């Protein structure tokens, strides 16, 4: 429990609010300029407003295209007064549930399911990302992130067409097969640029969804149903291989030809040929101690030593308390036990500092705090 003194400083208050935000007790977004001046003590108030918008008949009839009159109609009543409705919309933007264009708010999850005519994509770069399970939010969040690139409003619930310069890209989500298909048409270099932008946003979205792992794949020319993992090709190229025999085939195919449509060889070398599309998985490491610790590495032997010392010390303190209570009285015995405990704490802090588990300032603060109780121990003596 925090003391009054502990939350007086601005830093302590920020730490407490951040902690409560992580627990879901309050909502605080100090890093977001749109929301930094507003803290919500009742998160269910926010989620309730969002659900009203997403599940309303008005929004469904509008097929995801909401105006302020629509929002005012949905969020009526005392619970969501006019001055607070903007905050609900900003929260939806922050969590990539909608975006604004020409004073119209578009909610991707409420768009029409029918795919419009997107044109011909016969002579285009083909690329897919396969998942174990494809969350429905991925395509919606991608649309929100890249909404400025949407081509002439060509967007529906499971797909979108982006345009950049003289290049167009079709992105479609198939939840049943758990695959995201990307087709890019236009000059080769421009195609790579637009595909790179889409891949970068997809990787950023994947990092926010625990356990989500997508595998990028490229098609084999002349075999539309045969795909090769993109990372596998990068690793083969890095190992000096020139050709690959895709699984299920007997013919060899140039690795460079399969990769060049996605990235040039120069770009692959600059960014690292064997990189993964997500942050590398690292073995768990022990957290670095606070307080500028700089001792030797802490091993299992140190843990056993410290644990043995503490157990032994507690046994000695308990025995000393029992003996002192019988010889010089219970009050004096309690005082002696407190002094012994203080000694144990001081010795443990010195051991931790020597091993580099705490910094010097942390050790000194701990010793100072322990010694501050010596007055109490002496007061208990007869």
């Amino acid at each position: 429990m925090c003391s009054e003194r502990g939350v007086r400083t601005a830093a302590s208050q920020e730490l407490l609010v951040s902690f409560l935000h992580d627990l879901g007790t309050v909502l605080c977004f100090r890093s977001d300029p749109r929301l930094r001046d507003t803290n919500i003590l009742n998160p269910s108030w926010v989620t309730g407003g969002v659900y009203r918008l997403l599940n309303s008949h008005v929004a469904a009839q509008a097929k995801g295209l909401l105006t302020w009159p629509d929002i005012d109609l949905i969020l009526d009543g005392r619970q969501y007064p006019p001055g607070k409705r903007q905050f609900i919309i900003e929260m939806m933007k922050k969590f990539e549930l909608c975006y604004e264009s020409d004073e119209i708010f578009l909610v991707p999850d409420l768009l029409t399911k029918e795919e419009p005519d997107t044109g011909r994509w016969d002579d285009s770069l083909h690329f897919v990302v396969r998942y174990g399970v494809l969350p429905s939010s991925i395509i919606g969040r991608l649309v929100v992130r890249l909404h400025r690139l949407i081509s002439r409003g060509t967007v529906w619930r499971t797909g979108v067409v982006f345009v950049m310069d003289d290049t167009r890209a079709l992105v479609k989500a198939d939840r049943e097969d758990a695959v995201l298909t990307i087709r890019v048409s236009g000059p080769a270099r421009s195609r790579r640029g637009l595909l790179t932008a889409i891949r970068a946003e997809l990787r950023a979205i994947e990092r926010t969804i625990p356990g989500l792992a997508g595998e990028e794949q490229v098609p084999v020319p002349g075999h539309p149903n045969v795909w090769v993992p993109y990372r596998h090709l990068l690793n083969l190229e890095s190992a000096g291989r020139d050709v690959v025999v895709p699984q299920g085939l007997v013919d060899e195919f140039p690795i460079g030809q399969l990769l060049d449509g996605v990235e040039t060889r120069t770009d692959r070398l600059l960014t690292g040929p064997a990189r993964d599309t997500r942050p590398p998985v690292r073995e768990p490491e022990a957290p670095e101690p606070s307080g500028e610790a700089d001792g030797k590495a802490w091993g299992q032997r140190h843990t056993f030593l410290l644990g043995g010392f503490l157990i032994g010390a507690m046994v000695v303190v308990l025995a000393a308390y029992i003996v002192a209570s019988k010889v010089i009285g219970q009050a004096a015995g309690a005082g002696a036990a407190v002094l012994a405990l203080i000694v144990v704490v001081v010795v443990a802090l010195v051991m931790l500092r020597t091993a580099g588990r705490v910094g010097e300032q942390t050790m000194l603060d701990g010793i100072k705090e322990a010694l501050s109780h010596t007055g109490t121990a002496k007061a208990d003596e007869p």
Side-chain angles (χ1 to χ4, degrees), residues 286 295-307 352 355-357:
K296 297 180 179 179
W298 182 273
Q300 190 177 37
R301 183 174 64 87
H302 298 89
T303 302
F304 288 146
L305 286 175
L306 180 59
L352 290 171
R357 300 303 291 175

Side-chain angles (χ1 to χ4, degrees), residues 129-135 175-179 211-215:
V129 185
R130 299 187 186 276
Y131 298 89
V133 176
L134 178 60
R175 292 195 63 195
E176 184 175 347
D177 292 335
V179 61
L212 184 64
E215 181 181 68

